Amino acid sequence: MARRNNEFKLELLKVAQTRFASHYILLERLLQCREALATNVVLNAWKDLVNNGDEKMKIMATMVASTIADEQFWEEVDENEFKLHCLGFALNHRFYVPIYLSKPAPEGTSRKAPNHDNEVVKTTIEAFDKISDDKEEVKLYRE
């Protein structure tokens, strides 16, 4: 397996546990490593590892391989990564500063504060709804 990590120059990152950044980085990196993960589970080295493992290892390996092959799983990862990206954009004070907003965006368009971008606002509200099951806490987030 180490050979494949070197060949693809990708591996999942491990970051300090936080409530936001670690989840975003993990989802982003997972999307970047998708092809490498799919390749790994079809290699003979993977099959040898599974076959030489105990029953628990075989069950886990089957779950890993089926998850990697599951298109719905990847759609959810992509959707959640986008929600966290919008949430980070909306909660970062830097994106509200007039100096930042006065500079043109990379596409040459004018920038707008996150609270003036309907897609960011809608997606941020959806992210808040997912963060907590407590309706009072969600109400506080929305304020």
Side-chain angles (χ1 to χ4, degrees):
M1 296 297 166
R3 186 179 138 268
R4 295 305 287 183
N5 285 342
N6 290 336
E7 184 177 324
F8 284 101
K9 304 268 189 266
L10 294 174
E11 61 183 85
L12 293 177
L13 298 176
K14 296 175 187 142
V15 296
Q17 180 65 36
T18 64
R19 194 163 181 176
F20 172 75
S22 62
H23 294 107
Y24 175 76
I25 291 169
L26 176 70
L27 291 173
E28 182 178 52
R29 193 68 172 160
L30 193 57
L31 288 169
Q32 291 172 353
C33 293
R34 180 180 180 178
E35 185 179 330
L37 291 168
T39 301
N40 270 331
V41 298
V42 297
L43 293 174
N44 286 335
W46 171 268
K47 293 173 185 167
D48 291 344
L49 179 71
V50 172
N51 290 334
N52 293 329
D54 60 9
E55 194 59 33
K56 183 178 177 182
M57 170 68 132
K58 291 177 183 177
I59 292 169
M60 291 300 292
T62 301
M63 288 174 48
V64 167
S66 65
T67 299
I68 290 170
D70 185 357
E71 192 59 39
Q72 184 177 354
F73 167 78
W74 291 107
E75 288 172 10
E76 289 178 26
V77 168
D78 191 40
E79 178 184 322
N80 287 324
E81 189 262 347
F82 180 71
K83 285 180 182 174
L84 284 173
H85 178 80
C86 286
L87 185 61
F89 182 58
L91 297 177
N92 189 329
H93 73 281
R94 175 181 145 216
F95 300 117
Y96 295 90
V97 175
I99 293 172
Y100 172 80
L101 294 171
S102 68
K103 295 178 183 175
E107 311 85 39
T109 59
S110 59
R111 296 180 193 260
K112 51 184 165 178
N115 60 325
H116 293 135
D117 185 322
N118 290 337
E119 184 177 24
V120 171
V121 170
K122 177 182 172 275
T123 306
T124 299
I125 289 170
E126 289 173 7
F128 284 152
D129 289 342
K130 280 194 150 192
I131 287 172
S132 177
D133 293 331
D134 182 353
K135 292 183 190 277
E136 289 302 312
E137 187 177 22
V138 170
K139 185 179 174 184
L140 287 172
Y141 289 144
R142 288 176 177 232
E143 291 174 0

